[in-house]
Amino acid sequence: MEQSKKIFITNIIIFLLFAILTFFIGLHHEPWADEAQAWLIARDCTISNMILHVLKYEGHPILWFGILRALNILHFPYKLLFIIPWIASCLGIYLLIFKSKLPTIIKYLFPFTYFIFFQYTVIARNHSLIFPLLATIAVFYPKRLNNPYIYTIFLILLANTSAQGFILTFLLTLFFAFDIIKSKNFLKNNSNPKHNIVLLIPIIINLFTLLLTAVFMIKPADCTFNANLDIRNLRNIFDILTSGYFNIFQPIKYLQYSIVLALYFFAYKTFCKNIYQLMLFSALNLSTVTILSTLYCNNWHTGYIILTFIFSCWLLTNENNIEQLSYKENKIFYILALLLFSLQIFWSIKCSVFDVYNNYSASKEVAEFIKDNKLENKIIYGLGFKTVAIQPYFDKNLFRNYKNSAYWQWEQNAQLSDKEAVIGNPDVVIFDFLMNLDYPKMLARVNKDYEAHLFVAHMPLKGFITENNSFVVFVKTKAR
């Protein structure tokens, strides 16, 4: 009894530490372009326009945008946007700590690893919905045959988070169908086909929903954002898999490959007790790394690799009813997990400290500059996708070169080019550093009638400062 009380108190301490630290960091976070883009789509689009048109260009399903739409209707403030992923992650971490039978090293260290602690909790994007839904599915997994419709609802929600969530849902649906067909309730009614079809209705519903989601995610031909499947990229599969756990350094990349593959091998030895479980473990993890290898993949997407790994181990822990994993019998697995989690916690600390003391995006400072100088009603051009991050601080579209919307449109010719904008002689021109223009080249694009203002911000990724979120604002001297 005393031991269980200590475990309960430790669980509470770990959970509160996660919740308090991430909330504090979120208060200091400035949303960047991807966060702003989803918010603006939800704010300015009708549900029908969002589903039938806009999201086809975004490449994401409806769930995250639907949540943001509801928040806009309720007049939820943009500056508190981080609270939504914070609530979602806290739910997932609560289920992990209090409801899973995973090894203590996972339950107590994983919450502080880079992707779940920083990238998917502080930064408000659709990726923040993945872990809480996976955690909910894992908790409910042992009851899936008794409550198939509730399980189906969770799967449908997962499918509508992202392309990766879609693939995981498809695989879980296939295994769910196999479980139903092999169940005693199905077999004893083998002579009654109608009854068996009724048992398969949740599978039919899920597959139909997946088909609809896939249709609505087909990218239009005039989309300027290139993120199509490319099977040739499978040659990078080891790089993608390893990048979920490491920053890959070429001199030791084969050592890094070996460590990650060893983690999966010893996880298989630890959690898989039969061929079916090996198939489940392999299918979930291979599908995630395959879709990331063949589809558009950035640093923040590789977090799906570690989330899927934790999820698959969680499912198998439930299946095998493992109460406590022996350290002596699984020493290598524990050591590998400690090594990889410790590195990710180091990333969390570096990125969190940077975000607290520096600008993640310069968008907020630029918006304040525009308001302080009463430039809102001037002719303003925002050049480059990242300028969209400035828009949510205003009630309507700020940029004259954004045609008919405050959000960035991925249709061809939806925004004026930077050359067209400068020729148009606006009062204010805001350059996004993502355009690969250095400061002197920007200066050369405008004449002496403009005054330049630099607003600096950088994006920390996996412990390194890898992306520039700065802006240069050129203001015509007579416009002030």
Side-chain angles (χ1 to χ4, degrees):
M1 187 67 180
E2 189 66 27
Q3 181 67 16
S4 62
K5 186 177 179 181
K6 287 181 179 178
I7 292 173
F8 180 73
I9 292 173
T10 305
N11 289 348
I12 290 177
I13 291 171
I14 296 295
F15 175 76
L16 289 178
L17 188 61
F18 172 86
I20 292 169
L21 288 175
T22 50
F23 189 87
F24 174 76
I25 297 162
L27 285 172
H28 293 81
H29 174 73
E30 300 84 17
W32 75 295
D34 280 9
E35 296 170 82
Q37 174 78 347
W39 176 268
L40 292 165
I41 289 172
R43 187 190 74 180
D44 297 345
C45 288
T46 62
I47 291 292
S48 60
N49 185 41
M50 194 189 303
I51 295 174
L52 298 176
H53 181 70
V54 177
L55 294 189
K56 286 179 175 289
Y57 291 90
E58 294 296 312
H60 294 301
I62 185 64
L63 184 58
W64 177 245
F65 298 87
I67 293 171
L68 295 183
R69 177 68 176 170
L71 294 176
N72 272 281
I73 291 172
L74 296 172
H75 302 289
F76 189 86
Y78 179 67
K79 66 181 180 180
L80 297 180
L81 180 58
F82 79 92
I83 289 179
I84 309 309
W86 178 78
I87 291 172
S89 289
C90 283
L91 170 62
I93 295 303
Y94 172 83
L95 294 175
L96 173 76
I97 293 173
F98 289 94
K99 300 296 181 181
S100 80
K101 297 176 182 178
L102 284 166
T104 303
I105 193 171
I106 293 179
K107 294 203 293 185
Y108 289 173
L109 293 186
F110 174 70
F112 302 99
T113 55
Y114 166 74
F115 288 104
I116 190 63
F117 184 84
F118 182 77
Q119 189 63 233
Y120 297 160
T121 299
V122 174
I123 298 168
R125 297 194 63 197
N126 58 315
H127 310 304
S128 63
L129 302 177
I130 289 287
F131 182 67
L133 280 170
L134 290 177
T136 304
I137 290 169
V139 170
F140 198 82
Y141 191 75
K143 306 171 187 175
R144 63 194 181 284
L145 294 177
N146 297 328
N147 297 284
Y149 290 98
I150 296 176
Y151 184 65
T152 296
I153 290 172
F154 292 143
L155 291 181
I156 290 172
L157 290 174
L158 178 64
N160 280 278
T161 56
S162 65
Q164 292 82 7
F166 179 92
I167 297 299
L168 288 174
T169 298
F170 177 72
L171 287 171
L172 289 169
T173 301
L174 295 183
F175 279 96
F176 187 30
F178 181 82
D179 294 337
I180 290 176
I181 292 170
K182 289 295 183 180
S183 67
K184 293 180 181 179
N185 195 28
F186 190 90
L187 292 173
K188 74 180 182 181
N189 292 289
N190 204 28
S191 59
N192 187 349
K194 289 184 179 180
H195 184 83
N196 286 340
I197 290 173
V198 170
L199 291 176
L200 288 172
I201 285 177
I203 304 300
I204 296 169
I205 292 172
N206 214 335
L207 290 175
F208 179 72
T209 306
L210 285 168
L211 179 61
L212 281 179
T213 303
V215 168
F216 285 119
M217 287 176 64
I218 295 175
K219 194 172 295 182
D222 65 339
C223 182
T224 58
F225 182 73
N226 183 23
N228 297 314
L229 284 171
D230 189 348
I231 303 299
R232 293 172 298 177
N233 289 335
L234 276 173
R235 63 181 181 273
N236 299 321
I237 196 164
F238 285 113
D239 283 343
I240 297 294
L241 175 64
T242 305
S243 64
Y245 301 90
F246 286 108
N247 284 314
I248 297 178
F249 294 106
Q250 290 300 321
I252 59 168
K253 75 173 184 177
Y254 292 107
L255 173 61
Q256 293 176 317
Y257 289 170
S258 301
I259 292 172
V260 172
L261 291 175
L263 175 73
Y264 281 85
F265 174 77
F266 285 102
Y268 144 69
K269 296 285 287 183
T270 300
F271 296 104
C272 298
K273 304 303 179 186
N274 53 52
I275 295 296
Y276 174 84
Q277 291 180 8
L278 174 60
M279 290 175 61
L280 178 63
F281 178 81
S282 301
L284 293 175
N285 287 288
L286 278 174
S287 68
T288 297
V289 72
T290 301
I291 193 67
L292 288 174
S293 298
T294 56
L295 196 60
Y296 173 76
C297 179
N298 213 317
N299 268 317
W300 46 83
H301 297 124
T302 57
Y304 282 88
I305 291 170
I306 190 169
L307 294 191
T308 305
F309 174 73
I310 297 297
F311 172 66
S312 58
C313 292
W314 193 341
L315 293 188
L316 297 177
T317 303
N318 288 339
E319 284 285 279
N320 297 318
N321 200 26
I322 298 173
E323 291 294 338
Q324 188 172 3
L325 201 63
S326 168
Y327 170 75
K328 186 177 292 187
E329 295 176 5
N330 302 281
K331 188 180 296 184
I332 298 178
F333 173 77
Y334 272 96
I335 292 171
L336 290 170
L338 178 61
L339 169 66
L340 295 171
F341 285 177
S342 297
L343 175 61
Q344 296 236 344
I345 290 171
F346 174 69
W347 293 348
S348 292
I349 294 170
K350 285 196 68 176
C351 292
S352 298
V353 170
F354 183 90
D355 200 0
V356 169
Y357 289 102
N358 301 274
N359 282 338
Y360 193 91
S361 169
S363 55
K364 185 178 179 182
E365 280 194 355
V366 172
E368 290 171 350
F369 173 81
I370 291 170
K371 291 176 181 178
D372 291 343
N373 289 277
K374 297 181 171 54
L375 298 172
E376 300 101 308
N377 297 319
K378 303 294 183 179
I379 299 176
I380 304 176
Y381 286 167
L383 307 181
F385 167 66
K386 286 190 178 179
T387 57
V388 79
I390 301 165
Q391 295 272 43
Y393 297 100
F394 300 89
D395 295 331
K396 59 182 181 180
N397 180 23
L398 183 70
F399 303 136
R400 299 288 180 91
N401 61 307
Y402 276 35
K403 297 179 181 178
N404 306 318
S405 68
Y407 56 87
W408 186 269
Q409 298 179 66
W410 293 107
E411 296 98 323
Q412 292 178 6
N413 302 318
Q415 285 81 216
L416 293 178
S417 69
D418 56 327
K419 185 176 180 180
E420 290 172 317
V422 173
I423 291 173
N425 200 30
D427 297 312
V428 181
V429 184
I430 304 174
F431 282 93
D432 157 17
F433 266 75
L434 187 64
M435 300 168 66
N436 297 319
L437 298 171
D438 59 27
Y439 195 65
K441 288 181 180 178
M442 290 179 185
L443 287 172
R445 285 172 179 257
V446 294
N447 62 40
K448 61 185 179 181
D449 294 331
Y450 287 85
E451 183 179 88
H453 303 267
L454 177 63
F455 298 86
V456 177
H458 293 90
M459 177 190 297
L461 291 165
K462 294 184 177 180
F464 291 92
I465 312 305
T466 61
E467 197 163 315
N468 203 320
N469 274 336
S470 303
F471 297 103
V472 177
V473 180
F474 291 98
V475 182
K476 196 179 280 187
T477 52
K478 64 180 182 180
R480 297 186 64 186

